[in-house]
Amino acid sequence: MAPHFVVRTVDRADPDSIAQLRAAGVATAHEAAGRIGLLGMDIQPRQSGTVIAGSAITVSCHPGDNLMIHAAVEVCSPGDVLVVTTTSPSTDGMFGELLATSLRSRGVLGAVVDAGVRDIAALRRMGFPVWSRAVHAQGTVKASPGSVNVPVVAAGQIVHPGDVVIADDDGVVVLPAARSRAVAEASAKRIAGEAGKRDQLANGVLGMDMYQLRPRLAELGVRYVDRLPVEGET
C-alpha cells in the first residue's frame, strides 16, 4: 500500500500579502501573476458576492470517501482555505454543513472542492463559502486512506500546502506563497492603472484610442467602410 500522511506543518505567506491579494480579487491577481494558477471553470462558486484569500490546506481523498477531510480539520488554522481533491473524478457530496461548522470553529475561511458539495442552502445561511465541481446530495463513506497537506491537482492546477488561494465570483486562482508579495505589489499597480482607465472610459474615451488599437487593425487588414461592398464592385 502506498504511504499516506497527515502533515501538520505548513509554510504560509505573510498575512499582509494575503490581504492585498484578497482586495485584488481573482482576475487581477491572475493577470498580475502572469496568468498562472487559475483553476478550470468546472470549479464554480456556490454563492455570490463573496471574496476570500487564505493559505491552502490540501486534502487528497478516495472518491466517495471524506475521511481525510475530517482528518484535515485538526491541522487547520485561522485564515486557511481547505482544498479538497479526489484521486479519480467524483461528483459525490464530499462536503456539507457539519464539516463547514467544524472548519468554522478553526477559523477556516472557506473550501474549494474538486468534487461535489451538498447542504448548499445551509451553507449559504451560515455564510460559509464553497467553490465546487458539482452540487450533489450523494453521500460518502469514511473508510479509505488519503493524505493531508501534500501536493494535489485541483481542476488542472497543482496546489501545494500553504499556497495562497484566492476565490470569488470569477473562480479560483492559486499562487505560490513565495510569490505572494511580488504578485500583491503587481496587483496594486494594476488596480491603480485601471482607476485611470476607468475614468477615461466613463468620460467617453474609446478603448480603441486609449489602447492605441487603430494601427493594429490596419496592420491586420481591417478596413472601415460605411457599407459592405456590393458584389462585383471594388
Side-chain angles (χ1 to χ4, degrees), residues 38-40 43 83-85 112 114 133 152-159:
L38 189 66
L39 270 62
I43 304 299
V83 178
V84 178
T85 64
V112 176
D114 193 358
R133 179 172 293 275
V152 298
V153 177
Q157 291 293 335
I158 296 177
V159 186

Side-chain angles (χ1 to χ4, degrees), residues 113-129:
V113 182
D114 193 358
V117 297
R118 62 183 189 175
D119 304 332
I120 286 295
L123 292 172
R124 288 173 179 162
R125 282 196 302 270
M126 66 185 290
F128 189 91

Side-chain angles (χ1 to χ4, degrees), residues 56-58 84 86 92 99 118 121 152-153 178 190 192 202 209 220 234:
I57 297 296
T58 62
V84 178
T86 55
D92 293 343
L99 272 167
R118 62 183 189 175
V152 298
V153 177
R190 287 187 64 88
D209 298 316
L220 295 172
T234 58

